[in-house]
Amino acid sequence: MKNRLEQLRKERGIKQEELAAILEVSRQTIGSLENGRYNPSIVLAFKLAKFFNLSIEEIFIYEEDSDEK
Amino acid sequence: MKNRLEQLRKERGIKQEELAAILEVSRQTIGSLENGRYNPSIVLAFKLAKFFNLSIEEIFIYEEDSDEK
DNA sequence: TGGATATGGAAAGTAAACTTTACATAGAGG
DNA sequence: CCTCTATGTAAAGTTTACTTTCCATATCCA
């Protein structure tokens, strides 16, 4: 699962810490998502989509059979 | 978070067990999602969306401030 | 009445998302 | 050079998604 979070966040000109505060998660969670250490929960994916005014599919790119859960 | 899984599955005329096999999860996972016991991972949400040929947003309804994670 | 099928759901365990704390590094500007 | 800010990342702990096993119930049909 890839995502465009770092790019989108930088386009908005905000820090990881600010985005984290808005979404009510930790800065480390944002950093971990941007760097692909894990996938977001579906609830966090919805929050991110709402914040960036995009669909989940426009932010997260699901790659078939990159056999992750 | 609400979803239309039971309705969509029944429209397709398949059993929980069959859907589970296709998505490579357990029958209990499908049952638990249909009955709202927990939310899917984003990967499973993508698999379901692909199977039903819908967007995640068309299957799962995110309700703001129903303070779940 | 009986067995077979489909679903609900609980219990206990594993895996993955997320938190808090902590430290390290790189760049900007004094 | 020093310090401040933004980010990377790791370790340990909690919560939640998911598994396997098990039992209960309802319906269907021979």
Side-chain angles (χ1 to χ4, degrees):
Chain A
M1 180 93 115
K2 292 183 179 168
N3 70 69
R4 305 199 299 131
L5 288 177
E6 183 172 10
Q7 176 202 344
L8 290 168
R9 177 179 59 79
K10 288 185 172 167
E11 282 172 13
R12 265 57 169 195
I14 63 173
K15 301 167 203 164
Q16 289 186 346
E17 200 166 10
E18 292 169 335
L19 181 54
I22 292 165
L23 303 184
E24 299 178 288
V25 294
S26 67
R27 174 181 70 83
Q28 286 74 357
T29 292
I30 301 298
S32 293
L33 295 179
E34 288 189 356
N35 290 294
R37 277 188 292 279
Y38 48 73
N39 296 324
S41 69
I42 194 171
V43 170
L44 182 48
F46 266 106
K47 286 184 184 176
L48 285 159
K50 186 184 178 198
F51 177 79
F52 288 117
N53 204 32
L54 293 171
S55 67
I56 290 178
E57 289 85 351
E58 285 171 316
I59 302 178
F60 297 94
I61 294 86
Y62 174 56
E63 305 152 301
E64 199 94 29
D65 50 76
S66 76
D67 65 37
E68 48 190 345
K69 296 260 172 93
Chain B
M1 182 92 114
K2 291 181 181 173
N3 70 68
R4 305 199 298 130
L5 289 177
E6 183 172 9
Q7 176 203 342
L8 291 167
R9 178 180 58 80
K10 288 185 173 169
E11 283 172 12
R12 265 57 169 196
I14 63 173
K15 299 168 206 166
Q16 289 186 346
E17 200 166 9
E18 292 169 335
L19 181 55
I22 291 165
L23 304 183
E24 299 178 290
V25 295
S26 66
R27 174 181 69 82
Q28 286 73 359
T29 292
I30 301 297
S32 293
L33 296 178
E34 288 189 356
N35 290 295
R37 278 189 291 279
Y38 49 73
N39 296 325
S41 68
I42 194 172
V43 171
L44 182 48
F46 266 105
K47 287 184 184 176
L48 284 159
K50 187 185 178 200
F51 177 79
F52 288 118
N53 205 31
L54 293 171
S55 67
I56 290 178
E57 289 86 350
E58 286 170 316
I59 302 179
F60 297 94
I61 294 88
Y62 175 55
E63 305 150 301
E64 203 100 25
D65 54 77
S66 77
D67 65 35
E68 49 189 341
K69 296 260 173 92

